[in-house]
């Protein structure tokens, strides 16, 4: 399949009259799959009402079929068609954070969506992305749009259109290139299906921000305990992984430098993932700096691009610094732990 590529100048005034958006939306209505930017990562969109369309997402990504998709909407009025009445706390969060990097799990209206979207669950994940291009595309399609991250299953999520093309060129109908995404890690997934909301995946909107609005929430045990099964099906898979094995080291830069030398003496090419503050400390086969530790948002924004860059450098082993698990640091550490398959050097 020839993958069409549109380059879109993203402005707040992007309208649905844009001919490129009209073309992409037409493909979505024809049940084809189109990648587009959101404020978190690029998504791989398809008509959430059509099983034919949704199947193409799973095929293009090589995604396990028991892992449900997030449905993206552009207007609150679309919610009524997809879910039962939202609990009060969910309503508060919607008012405060939509459009934005918060996905809510709500009871699904029977028959509203292709059963492939929810992977047979009675709940559905919904979010309204905060990106003018995503919103214009969804609006113009007139559909709820199912969209996982637009990467091959297991690879880091794409934060640039080039990442999408690298993974999926020839496998999907089109890619809308709107430049790099802003937040860089995926949305926060919060279950509002029970009495007390449960954090299933940390992301762009922090736990602290959510609790400031609705009080204490629970955190899925499966996020921190290797022996617990995560509630969110997607969280059980290895993810975001570069080709070379990665370990997170909790020690000082000096300790990490010592480790690098040990591995090099064993004949291995070693890469290190660090930040601007410490980059000068290391001597390794590849030193990749990723944002500033003093402002963790900058680390989140560059993390996936940094992880992908190790594949080109042909290193045999990667050591990453660790990060505090407050604010967006919780999402950064969650993704790094998955990329490392849980390997931590203490
Ligand atoms: O930022 C994002 O959320 C991006 C952009 C494109 O919007 N999308 C994204 O989708 O990250 P995906 O498919 O890569 O991750 C969706 C996560 C998975 O962990 C999945 O298991 C979980 O949400 N999920 C979806 N529906 C669910 C449900 N009904 N119950 C529990 N978890 C669910
Ligand atoms: Mg994903």
């Amino acid at each position: 399949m020839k993958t069409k590529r549109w380059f879109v100048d993203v402005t707040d005034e992007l309208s649905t009259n844009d001919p490129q958006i009209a073309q992409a939306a037409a493909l979505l209505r024809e049940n084809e799959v189109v990648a587009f930017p959101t404020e978190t990562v690029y998504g791989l969109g398809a008509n959430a009402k059509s099983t034919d369309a949704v199947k193409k997402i799973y095929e293009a990504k090589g995604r396990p079929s028991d892992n449900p998709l997030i449905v993206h909407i552009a207007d609150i009025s679309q919610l009524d068609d997809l879910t039962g009445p939202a609990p009060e706390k969910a309503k508060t969060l919607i008012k405060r954070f939509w459009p934005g990097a918060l996905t809510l799990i709500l009871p699904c209206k029977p028959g509203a969506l292709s059963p492939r979207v929810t992977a047979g669950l009675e709940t559905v994940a919904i979010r309204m992305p905060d990106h003018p291009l995503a919103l214009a595309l969804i609006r113009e399609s007139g559909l709820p749009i199912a969209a996982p991250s637009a990467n091959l299953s297991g690879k880091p999520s794409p934060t640039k259109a080039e990442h999408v093309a690298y993974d999926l060129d020839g496998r999907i109908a089109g890619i809308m290139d709107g430049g790099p995404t802003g937040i860089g890690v995926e949305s926060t997934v919060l279950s509002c299906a029970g009495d007390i909301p449960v954090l299933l995946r940390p992301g762009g909107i922090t736990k602290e921000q959510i609790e400031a609005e609705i009080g204490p929430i629970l955190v899925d045990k499966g996020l921190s305990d290797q022996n617990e099964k995560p509630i969110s099906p997607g969280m059980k898979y290895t993810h975001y992984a570069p080709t070379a094995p990665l370990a997170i080291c909790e020690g000082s830069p000096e300790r990490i430098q010592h480790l690098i030398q040990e591995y090099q003496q064993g004949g291995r090419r070693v890469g290190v993932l660090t930040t601007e503050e410490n980059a000068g400390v290391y001597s390794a086969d590849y030193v990749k700096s990723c944002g500033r530790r003093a402002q963790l948002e900058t680390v989140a924004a560059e993390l996936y691009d940094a992880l992908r860059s190790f594949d080109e450098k042909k290193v045999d082993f990667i050591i990453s610094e660790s990060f505090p698990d407050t604010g967006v640091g919780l999402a950064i550490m969650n993704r790094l732990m998955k990329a490392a398959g849980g390997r931590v050097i203490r």
Side-chain angles (χ1 to χ4, degrees):
M1 174 186 309
K2 172 112 178 71
T3 301
K4 201 167 165 41
R5 186 95 170 250
W6 301 274
F7 296 88
V8 185
D9 192 11
V10 178
T11 62
D12 283 341
E13 294 80 49
L14 252 188
S15 83
T16 47
N17 298 327
D18 182 294
Q20 309 200 88
I21 291 174
Q23 270 183 29
L27 281 175
L28 289 173
R29 282 194 301 272
E30 288 158 24
N31 295 337
E32 292 298 334
V33 169
V34 174
F36 60 91
T38 78
E39 81 282 30
T40 56
V41 300
Y42 272 76
L44 190 58
N47 176 2
K49 290 185 171 286
S50 157
T51 294
D52 248 13
V54 172
K55 263 189 182 160
K56 291 180 189 169
I57 292 181
Y58 284 93
E59 279 164 18
K61 279 182 64 93
R63 180 179 176 110
S65 61
D66 68 343
N67 189 5
L69 307 174
I70 298 173
V71 176
H72 294 62
I73 58 174
D75 211 283
I76 286 288
S77 63
Q78 286 179 281
L79 204 56
D80 287 346
D81 179 38
L82 308 177
T83 68
E88 276 317 306
K89 285 184 177 167
K91 281 189 194 154
T92 305
L93 295 173
I94 287 171
K95 241 190 223 135
R96 171 71 179 80
F97 295 115
W98 281 10
L102 177 67
T103 294
L104 299 179
I105 309 289
L106 296 164
C108 184
K109 248 190 199 168
L113 296 161
S114 160
R116 290 293 299 261
V117 170
T118 54
L121 299 174
E122 282 168 11
T123 53
V124 59
I126 305 206
R127 93 173 184 101
M128 188 190 292
D130 187 13
H131 192 290
L133 177 46
L135 290 171
L137 178 66
I138 298 165
R139 214 162 265 150
E140 177 70 12
S141 76
L143 296 165
I145 298 295
S149 50
N151 51 285
L152 281 176
S153 206
K155 286 284 153 200
S157 296
T159 51
K160 296 175 177 171
E162 295 79 59
H163 299 157
V164 181
Y166 185 86
D167 279 10
L168 298 174
D169 195 33
R171 301 169 71 95
I172 59 177
I175 302 172
M176 303 209 88
D177 185 339
T181 60
I183 293 176
V185 290
E186 300 86 344
S187 64
T188 304
V189 178
L190 186 76
S191 172
C192 293
D195 288 340
I196 306 175
V198 188
L199 180 70
L200 305 186
R201 177 177 76 179
I205 301 289
T206 65
K207 178 168 179 275
E208 292 87 341
Q209 282 177 293
I210 293 170
E211 290 188 323
E213 296 297 323
I214 59 166
I217 58 171
L218 300 173
V219 176
D220 179 15
K221 279 205 196 75
L223 286 182
S224 50
D225 186 341
Q226 305 277 347
N227 301 317
E228 293 278 339
K229 190 170 167 268
I231 299 172
S232 195
M235 297 307 281
K236 68 175 181 272
Y237 297 105
T238 314
H239 239 295
Y240 318 111
T243 309
L246 173 115
I248 303 168
C249 183
E250 289 183 340
S252 63
E254 291 69 30
R255 163 98 179 99
I256 294 176
Q257 182 57 41
H258 191 77
L259 269 175
I260 294 170
Q261 270 147 3
E262 268 179 32
Y263 281 107
Q264 285 179 325
Q265 276 155 16
R268 295 212 247 182
R269 283 176 52 80
V270 183
V272 59
L273 182 61
T274 177
T275 55
E276 276 174 36
E277 286 94 337
N278 296 339
V281 175
Y282 298 109
S283 141
D285 295 284
Y286 175 51
V287 179
K288 181 65 185 172
S289 170
C290 160
R292 275 169 290 118
R293 180 169 284 278
Q295 204 186 345
L296 289 177
E297 287 75 19
T298 62
V299 177
E302 294 176 26
L303 182 66
Y304 291 149
D305 188 52
L307 286 174
R308 279 178 180 261
S309 76
F310 286 97
D311 285 355
E312 291 149 32
K313 297 294 170 178
K314 310 252 178 294
V315 292
D316 309 306
F317 193 70
I318 306 162
I319 304 176
S320 172
E321 292 181 351
S322 94
F323 294 90
D325 60 4
T326 51
V328 76
L330 190 64
I332 294 170
M333 280 309 284
N334 170 266
R335 306 310 192 267
L336 272 177
M337 281 296 272
K338 291 199 156 294
R343 259 181 305 259
V344 180
I345 304 170
R346 295 213 157 81

